[in-house]
Structure formats: structure tokens, C-alpha cells
Amino acid sequence: MSAESGPWIDLHSHAGRCFLAGLPAGHPMVASLGASSVAGAVRDARAGGMTALVLATVSDFAVLRPDPVTGLRAHREFRPGEAYADHRRQLDGLRQAVAAAGAEVVTSAAGVGQAARGGRTAVLLGCEGGDFLEGDLRRLEEARAAGVIVLTLVHYRVNEIGDVQTAPPVHGGLSRFGRDVVAECGRLGIVVDCAHASFATTTDVLEAASQPVIISHGQLGHAGSAHPRLLTTAHVTAVASAGGLIGAWPAGLTSQSLADFADEIIRLTEAAGPSRVAIGTDLDGNYRPVLTSYAQFEDLAGLLRGRGLPQDHIGQILGGNIEGLLRRIIP
């Protein structure tokens, strides 16, 4: 990492590798995600010069199956208590893997700064999908006490919180319980993530939130592109105008190469502004990824420079914007 580039932070690295330990060998998600170790991923991040990355549990993981249209979908309902138990299993596995890598879980912006000054890679914990809450708001405080500082409200299953991009709406946006969840996140100091949320859910979140929110990993749709996970300009600008961030997602939905992804970042920057864009790789569970290693962050910075983006804007996008948001929400 060059000195002038500032912190490199991955807003959404996923952690699918960790979850596979709880699944039988024949489970289709094992074939989809592989079976590498999270500890290895953290070591790769350190070798690539990363300042921090967010590793997230996936609350609906046990009920997901590949889907040719949406990518993934829930194929059955949870049994009572199943989502919560799997969330606890995944969270324990993440913490063990981070420790095995000799890394540190941090729960504040100050912790990220201390790790950076010490030449260490910090790990922030998140939950992708609030399914584990199962309607019980007290579990959110429990998750925060366990080190979780990012909550992606929904994933590929419409849960008790709100509607998703990839399934028919049930709540018409954010549910009443979802509004309580957003308010509690504000009280506890948890970053609210609207990735996977429908536009209606996102706008409801923006009305209910006391702090800026993020879309940790998303792509801006444009002419010739079509997928339910793509964002409209209205979706992006709603979050950006409320002070939030959109994590550019290096998925194969609209990109075929790292150079294409650089173009996607430029388009997103033009729509949202350079102070509202970040990087969310979804590295362990991405669809046809065009960024597969943290070593490519240097290449990505070079591609953005080649497209005329000023160095200070590149520094913002690769980590500075996230650092600023964390200082505001979890100083």
C-alpha cells in the first residue's frame, strides 16, 4: 500500500468459507463457495496491505440454494430457533478463525486506527441478514456485545425486517419490527446495511435511521444490464444524499474484468459523488468475481488513476470514506 493511498478497507468481505464447516459435503453451497479457511483469507488481506475488512455471518445460509435467476434463494422456512443457533455457530467460527490468523477483532473506529498504526489488519464483524433475531430485539444487543458492528438487514430471504431485491414483496418495504431494529441499531452503534434490500425497504430505512446507512456491496445498473441485484440511480442517490455509502461490488453481473470494475466505480462516483463510494468485495462468496485477491487493490488504484480520478478521491473510495463513517457511528 502506498503511503499516499491512506487506509484500504473492505466494507464487505463475507466469510462463506467459515460457514461450510457446519454443512454436509454434498450441500450445494459447499460446491458454490469452496472450502478455504477464513484464517487464510485474513492472512491474504494482511499480505495485500489491507487496513481492515468486514467479515459477516449469513443468517439465512442454512436455507439457501443456488437459483438461476436471482443467484440464491431460500428453498424452505427455518425451524424455530434454527437461524439463531446457526448465527451463533458462525459467529463463534469467525472469532476463532480471526484469532487463528493472529488478527484482531475491533469494535470501533479507534480500534481500526490503532491496528493501522501498528501495521496490523483489523477485522470488523457483521451479520448478513437479521433472520437470527427471529423477532426478538434483545438479540441485537447480544450481537453488539459479541462484537458485531454491521447489520445487513436482509439477505436472500424476506425476513421479519423487510423486503429484498430478489423476491416478491411481503411487507411493502420495512416492517414495523424493522423500524424498531433500525432504531435499536442507532442506539447501540451498529451500522445499518441496506445491501439486498428493496428500494422501498431502503427508503423506509432512511426515514427511520438516526445515522447514515450503507449499501455494503452493490452495482449500478445501466443500459444493457439487467439483474434484480442491480441498483437504480434513484436507489444510489437516496442513500448518498442521506450521507451514506455505497460499496462498489466487483461481481460478474456487469463486469468481465478488473478494468470493467474500474469503469463501474467511475459510473457510481458520477451518480453518488466520490465521498459516497467505497469497496465491498464480497470476496468469499461473490458471483463471477473480477477482483479475487487483495493484492489487486494496487492494480485497481492504478486503473482509477488512468481514468483521471484524482488521488484524493481514490483514497476516499478505497478506505477513507469508510473510515469517516465509522468515526461518526462507532468512534
Side-chain angles (χ1 to χ4, degrees):
M1 181 173 60
S2 56
E4 71 271 18
S5 67
W8 285 358
I9 302 175
D10 185 354
L11 193 53
H12 186 77
S13 183
H14 219 269
R17 310 161 190 236
C18 183
F19 312 153
L20 300 172
L23 296 176
H27 193 287
M29 296 303 289
V30 174
S32 295
L33 294 179
S36 302
S37 70
V38 173
V42 175
R43 293 186 189 106
D44 290 346
R46 184 187 299 123
M50 298 300 296
T51 302
L53 61 156
V54 177
L55 295 179
T57 65
V58 180
S59 288
D60 56 353
F61 192 82
V63 301
L64 295 183
R65 292 292 186 274
D67 182 89
V69 176
T70 63
L72 294 171
R73 68 176 179 86
H75 75 105
R76 64 171 175 84
E77 290 300 314
F78 278 113
R79 296 181 293 273
E82 181 184 8
Y84 176 62
D86 199 43
H87 156 77
R88 293 294 300 270
R89 175 186 69 83
Q90 292 178 35
L91 197 55
D92 289 345
L94 275 183
R95 298 187 70 95
Q96 291 167 14
V98 171
E104 172 187 9
V105 172
V106 302
T107 59
S108 67
V112 172
Q114 290 167 5
R117 288 189 294 274
R120 304 184 303 277
T121 296
V123 172
L124 307 168
L125 298 180
C127 297
E128 191 165 24
D131 306 65
F132 72 96
L133 297 175
E134 296 177 330
D136 187 347
L137 207 59
R138 294 171 298 180
R139 291 181 182 172
L140 195 57
E141 188 164 8
E142 177 186 287
R144 184 64 176 88
V148 171
I149 58 94
V150 179
L151 177 67
T152 311
L153 299 176
V154 294
H155 193 219
Y156 279 100
R157 170 182 174 269
V158 177
N159 59 23
E160 296 89 348
I161 295 173
D163 294 327
V164 303
Q165 291 175 295
T166 51
V170 172
H171 305 289
L174 192 67
S175 70
R176 183 180 296 275
F177 176 66
R179 291 181 180 275
D180 292 340
V181 168
V182 171
E184 185 70 349
C185 285
R187 184 183 75 83
L188 293 172
I190 295 176
V191 179
V192 173
D193 180 12
C194 290
H196 293 275
S198 68
F199 184 40
T201 299
T202 302
T203 55
D204 287 348
V205 169
L206 293 174
E207 291 178 1
S210 59
Q211 295 283 6
V213 307
I214 64 172
I215 293 176
S216 62
H217 55 301
Q219 280 186 329
L220 181 63
H222 50 85
S225 63
H227 191 277
R229 284 281 285 115
L230 295 176
L231 303 168
T232 64
T233 300
H235 201 150
V236 164
T237 55
V239 171
S241 63
L245 295 180
I246 297 91
W249 182 34
L253 300 182
T254 59
S255 297
Q256 302 301 313
S257 67
L258 192 64
D260 290 342
F261 181 51
D263 292 335
E264 296 288 352
I265 293 173
I266 296 297
R267 276 191 283 269
L268 192 55
T269 300
E270 291 171 347
S275 65
R276 298 294 162 222
V277 179
I279 303 293
T281 67
D282 205 13
L283 200 61
D284 291 344
N286 206 346
Y287 172 75
R288 296 180 181 173
V290 296
L291 188 151
T292 57
S293 165
Y294 287 117
Q296 292 174 281
F297 263 59
E298 190 70 62
D299 297 332
L300 180 60
L303 288 167
L304 294 174
R305 281 193 295 272
R307 282 152 177 74
L309 204 63
Q311 182 60 44
D312 60 336
H313 290 178
I314 296 171
Q316 286 179 296
I317 292 165
L318 295 188
N321 290 334
I322 306 171
E323 186 181 37
L325 183 137
L326 292 177
R327 283 201 303 267
R328 174 168 177 171
I329 299 178
I330 49 169

